[in-house]
Amino acid sequence: MSTSRAFCVPGVFFLLAATVLLIITSVSLPFLPAIDFVRAHVQSGNVGVANTQGIATSSSISQLKVSSDQFGVWAYCAVESASGNRDCSNSGYAYGVVVRDNSSNDSVTIKSSWTRGLAVHPVAAVVSFIALLLSFSTHITVTLIASLVSFLAALITLIAFAIDIALFAFVKHEVGKLSGSRFMTNTAPAFWMTFAAFILLLLAGCTVCFGRRRQSRSYAADASEPGPYQSRYGGGFWNRFRRTPKI
């Protein structure tokens, strides 16, 4: 393996790690119970959750007294205060949640417009996977395309992370309006996994790009060296038979 190609190897590992992280965050709730973006823990009060109208839900989660709410890409889950069981809504794109304070009958709504953008994570995972496949090529042009696709995946991941931040800030603001209850809203594992994937994609794009530059310089240096039929003064094979002018 040439040194220029070896310089691209860290970029391949960065792309692989970022792709794995984005795939995990794209699956998230309800398929991976521990992978969510925002968690709202109920510290005091009698809190229940329900779905907004028009959003399909399982009957077990329609009315619950919960100790925490979790938000994933495809569903939200609630942990029951009594049993500690986790019940999740039916999986689907763009869900809505109503958080209700049972003691004061106040409620806030997390509309589907705030969870719809979470679907950007699977898009980022697909683009990152494409960049990973391209990075295995030894062709200079394909390597350059892999670097550009890596930066594109980083941009999409940054947009996804901005959506995560917006969802966290909105949930924290809305549940804070329930005067009869007290919440502690935290970022969850998928939130930081998205951020880590963004950093890895940036590193991957840079290392693959620098490796491509070193590879092109190596090819240029090899092309400039005189061959077996070329004199050090230039020319071709027949120049060897030319007379050297006398001074």
Side-chain angles (χ1 to χ4, degrees), residues 1-71:
M1 180 184 294
S2 63
T3 56
S4 59
R5 183 59 188 167
F7 195 78
C8 297
V9 172
V12 176
F13 284 106
F14 290 149
L15 280 172
L16 177 61
T19 302
V20 171
L21 288 176
L22 289 173
I23 290 175
I24 293 175
T25 57
S26 299
V27 176
S28 72
L29 293 175
F31 310 104
L32 297 176
I35 307 300
D36 53 339
F37 295 91
V38 179
R39 295 181 184 179
H41 299 278
V42 181
Q43 293 184 311
S44 63
N46 185 354
V47 177
V49 295
N51 283 97
T52 56
Q53 294 181 353
I55 304 297
T57 181
S58 61
S59 58
S60 61
I61 200 174
S62 58
Q63 300 290 331
L64 286 176
K65 180 182 178 182
V66 301
S67 60
S68 66
D69 297 327
Q70 298 174 293
F71 297 84

Side-chain angles (χ1 to χ4, degrees), residues 39-184:
R39 295 181 184 179
H41 299 278
V42 181
Q43 293 184 311
S44 63
N46 185 354
V47 177
V49 295
N51 283 97
T52 56
Q53 294 181 353
I55 304 297
T57 181
S58 61
S59 58
S60 61
I61 200 174
S62 58
Q63 300 290 331
L64 286 176
K65 180 182 178 182
V66 301
S67 60
S68 66
D69 297 327
Q70 298 174 293
F71 297 84
V73 174
W74 310 111
Y76 75 89
C77 294
V79 179
E80 297 184 60
S81 299
S83 62
N85 295 330
R86 179 185 288 104
D87 291 310
C88 299
S89 63
N90 292 340
S91 58
Y93 168 65
Y95 56 88
V97 186
V98 175
V99 183
R100 184 183 62 258
D101 185 353
N102 295 325
S103 59
S104 61
N105 291 326
D106 293 334
S107 64
V108 293
T109 302
I110 311 298
K111 296 182 179 180
S112 59
S113 58
W114 289 92
T115 59
R116 183 177 292 111
L118 295 175
V120 176
H121 292 82
V123 178
V126 172
V127 178
S128 178
F129 180 70
I130 293 174
L132 176 63
L133 295 180
L134 294 174
S135 66
F136 287 105
S137 175
T138 57
H139 196 277
I140 297 179
T141 304
V142 178
T143 306
L144 175 61
I145 295 175
S147 177
L148 295 177
V149 177
S150 298
F151 286 124
L152 176 61
L155 176 61
I156 299 175
T157 305
L158 178 61
I159 295 174
F161 186 63
I163 294 172
D164 299 342
I165 295 175
L167 178 63
F168 166 73
F170 182 73
V171 171
K172 185 175 183 178
H173 177 266
E174 290 299 302
V175 297
K177 294 180 179 179
L178 300 177
S179 57
S181 303
R182 190 160 60 94
F183 287 83
M184 182 176 63

